[in-house]
Amino acid sequence: QKEVEQNSGPLSVPEGAIASLNCTYSDRGSQSFFWYRQYSGKSPELIMSIYSNGDKEDGRFTAQLNKASQYVSLLIRDSQPSDSATYLCAGTGSQGNLIFGKGTKLSVKP
Amino acid sequence: GAGVSQSPRYKVAKRGQDVALRCDPISGHVSLFWYQQALGQGPEFLTYFQNEAQLDKSGLPSDRFFAERPEGSVSTLKIQRTQQEDSAVYLCASSRTRVPPLHFGNGTRLTVT
């Protein structure tokens, strides 16, 4: 069973701090990874994609991929209350589908 | 519209009824995916299409679930003889290419009573 694992949280950080979200995956054949943000009652929204080892930065968000350790992370700098949401990690499966983790709930306290 | 459109937004069905959920992907998107999301859980893969071909249906939980995309655009997910455990949000997503990233619709919330 190919899986994507995330700590369900909740992860609570103060406003302005760095939030660190982590994810591991079991399928060594996975090539592409994505972070989605999902507000309560809404559909997932793509915030980052990463395809190669290393870091990828986009504004306050940095995605990190380590294929040897099968580990993906998302850092959110200068966290804002509006960042409070569930963050979903996803990786591609061998059939081209996209497999999601259960999500980590982030709460940013003012 | 510019996004993935799903209908209905909400559906209440009595146990044993059949339901059909519709997904209209972004125009020109090749790939279309269906996911089931229970409360507090991540989206669970059901099935996906490239154009009209259903390439993977390994996530469909039982033979009561059936999906089609006959002309390679609009897709319908049909659930026969609904059960209470089918209550969930059904998400449709599409992708411009053969691989993700995916753009999600607003989902259909199905409640089976």
Side-chain angles (χ1 to χ4, degrees):
Chain A
Q1 179 82 6
K2 298 185 173 76
E3 291 182 344
V4 174
E5 302 277 353
Q6 294 181 256
N7 186 327
S8 61
L11 173 66
S12 184
V13 301
E15 184 175 355
I18 295 175
S20 177
L21 303 159
N22 305 313
C23 170
T24 59
Y25 60 95
S26 62
D27 183 4
R28 283 200 171 273
S30 293
Q31 296 294 317
S32 307
F33 300 88
F34 306 88
W35 283 98
Y36 283 81
R37 177 175 62 201
Q38 187 172 30
Y39 292 113
S40 181
K42 302 292 186 185
S43 58
E45 169 195 12
L46 178 68
I47 53 172
M48 288 288 285
S49 57
I50 186 164
Y51 305 99
S52 54
N53 279 329
D55 295 1
K56 179 181 177 183
E57 187 174 317
D58 183 0
R60 296 186 296 114
F61 299 99
T62 299
Q64 300 173 316
L65 173 59
N66 183 325
K67 289 188 177 181
S69 301
Q70 295 177 244
Y71 177 87
V72 193
S73 67
L74 179 71
L75 300 177
I76 306 175
R77 288 180 298 282
D78 187 24
S79 296
Q80 302 297 309
S82 58
D83 295 327
S84 298
T86 296
Y87 288 80
L88 299 163
C89 173
T92 50
S94 56
Q95 304 261 24
N97 59 350
L98 192 60
I99 299 167
F100 283 85
K102 294 188 188 302
T104 298
K105 188 168 182 177
L106 172 67
S107 178
V108 180
K109 304 291 187 187
Chain B
V4 177
S5 177
Q6 290 187 248
S7 61
R9 284 298 313 277
Y10 304 93
K11 176 70 179 176
V12 179
K14 289 198 163 99
R15 191 163 59 93
Q17 281 185 329
D18 298 349
V19 298
L21 312 180
R22 177 188 167 105
C23 174
D24 208 331
I26 294 171
S27 178
H29 275 203
V30 169
S31 300
L32 184 148
F33 294 72
W34 284 100
Y35 288 85
Q36 180 191 60
Q37 188 172 26
L39 192 64
Q41 301 295 313
E44 292 279 348
F45 171 77
L46 294 177
T47 185
Y48 100 100
F49 295 83
Q50 278 184 13
N51 299 305
E52 69 278 4
Q54 189 174 21
L55 295 191
D56 187 353
K57 56 181 181 180
S58 62
L60 295 176
S62 78
D63 59 7
R64 296 186 295 105
F65 287 71
F66 171 77
E68 60 183 4
R69 193 187 185 197
E71 295 176 2
S73 56
V74 171
S75 177
T76 305
L77 175 66
K78 297 179 180 176
I79 309 173
Q80 296 176 322
R81 304 181 303 282
T82 51
Q83 304 294 313
Q84 278 196 309
E85 61 263 27
D86 299 335
S87 296
V89 175
Y90 289 84
L91 293 166
C92 176
S94 68
S95 174
R96 184 174 53 85
T97 63
R98 293 174 177 272
V99 295
L102 304 182
H103 303 272
F104 282 87
N106 287 326
T108 293
R109 182 179 295 278
L110 173 65
T111 304
V112 182
T113 62

